[in-house]
Amino acid sequence: MLNPDPKYPELRRRRFRPIPVRMLVPNVITLLAICAGLTAIRLSIEGRMELAVAAIVFAAILDGVDGRVARMIKGQSKFGAELDSLADFVNFGVAPGLMLYFWQLHELNNGGWIAAMVFAIAGGLRLARFNASIDDPNKPAFAANYFTGVPAPAGAILAMLPFYLAFLGVSKPPAMLTAAYTLLIAFLMVSRLPVFSGKTVRMRVPPEMVLPVFVSVVFFVALLIGYPWHMLTIGSVLYLLSLPLGWKSYRDHERNAAAVARPATTAEAAAPSTAAATFSPAPDDAEDERPARLN
């Protein structure tokens, strides 16, 4: 291999700069989430559905943590954003669809496979649209409080509601009903429905609320560990019930923004008219009084 000529610096071999550890930590969390999603697929093939569902829930928790950790330690990167999207497609699109197919949808043969495949594709489309609309300059300020469509992690948790009910002792619903519910969640993921995001919620806690927040978090985690299927069922039902509230709240913000913008538009439209009136020519009779050389 020829050595680069020192006379031409552009031909010198580019050295890779060392990467700070803070840039690696969020990506490691994302890779752990991928491992959880792939393990869920294996567990579902083996018929251990409770562990498979727990793996997807664990992946959803990691997905909610990695972005916040990246922002806290300033470890955001374009590579991490792309890796996170690929992880979400595997964990919350492919894995839940396959789990539902192995659990019950296979009873419908090709129909069940189509339902599982549509759910996985809907997850991929949802993520692609989210990435494409991040830098949308025409998005109103209040839109930062909302997702467009149900996010992929929430869609996966909602799609597994039949699992939770089965683990609670409820008889398994007909396969056709499970397929219809799966398609409904897929539709909500790719729809234009405004959904509360919670991303703009302030992370600072008043000093007097620190202890109550600690107690509340510990209590919630204890309930989730002690009664996982009860908590996931209640959470899924409440989330579905909150969707109309998110839509109504978004429409209210739209109407308020339109009401604020309307007077400004009216004032801008009136300004040229005023200027035209100020510099309008004199009436015809006034023009007749001008000297002949000006007429």
Side-chain angles (χ1 to χ4, degrees), residues 21 53 70 86 92 118 125-126 156 160 167 172 178 188 194 201 218 232 239 262-263 282 287 294:
V21 176
V53 173
L86 294 174
F92 312 124
V118 167
L125 294 175
R126 168 67 179 77
M160 295 189 299
F167 298 155
K172 185 183 294 187
T178 302
L188 291 176
V201 177
V218 172
L232 289 171
Y239 192 92
R262 194 176 298 115
E287 290 182 358
L294 297 179

Side-chain angles (χ1 to χ4, degrees), residues 34-73:
I34 295 177
C35 293
L38 295 175
T39 302
I41 296 175
R42 175 193 171 182
L43 293 171
S44 64
I45 295 174
E46 297 174 353
R48 297 187 284 177
M49 288 300 176
E50 292 192 11
L51 293 177
V53 173
I56 295 297
V57 174
F58 180 64
I61 295 173
L62 292 179
D63 179 73
V65 168
D66 60 358
R68 286 171 171 79
V69 170
R71 288 188 290 271
M72 287 174 59
I73 65 177

Side-chain angles (χ1 to χ4, degrees), residues 19-143:
I19 300 176
V21 176
R22 61 182 173 81
M23 305 292 290
L24 299 178
V25 172
N27 296 328
V28 171
I29 297 175
T30 304
L31 291 174
L32 290 176
I34 295 177
C35 293
L38 295 175
T39 302
I41 296 175
R42 175 193 171 182
L43 293 171
S44 64
I45 295 174
E46 297 174 353
R48 297 187 284 177
M49 288 300 176
E50 292 192 11
L51 293 177
V53 173
I56 295 297
V57 174
F58 180 64
I61 295 173
L62 292 179
D63 179 73
V65 168
D66 60 358
R68 286 171 171 79
V69 170
R71 288 188 290 271
M72 287 174 59
I73 65 177
K74 298 182 179 180
Q76 304 100 314
S77 65
K78 185 175 179 59
F79 175 84
E82 297 297 332
L83 180 63
D84 185 70
S85 294
L86 294 174
D88 289 352
F89 175 61
V90 173
N91 298 337
F92 312 124
V94 177
L98 291 177
M99 291 166 58
L100 287 165
Y101 179 79
F102 294 138
W103 181 63
Q104 189 183 33
L105 294 182
H106 66 275
E107 299 175 6
L108 300 176
N109 298 322
N110 290 336
W113 175 246
I114 290 173
M117 188 167 53
V118 167
F119 180 84
I121 293 174
L125 294 175
R126 168 67 179 77
L127 293 166
R129 183 180 64 188
F130 175 78
N131 293 338
S133 62
I134 289 179
D135 300 325
D136 184 6
N138 299 321
K139 184 183 296 185
F142 64 84

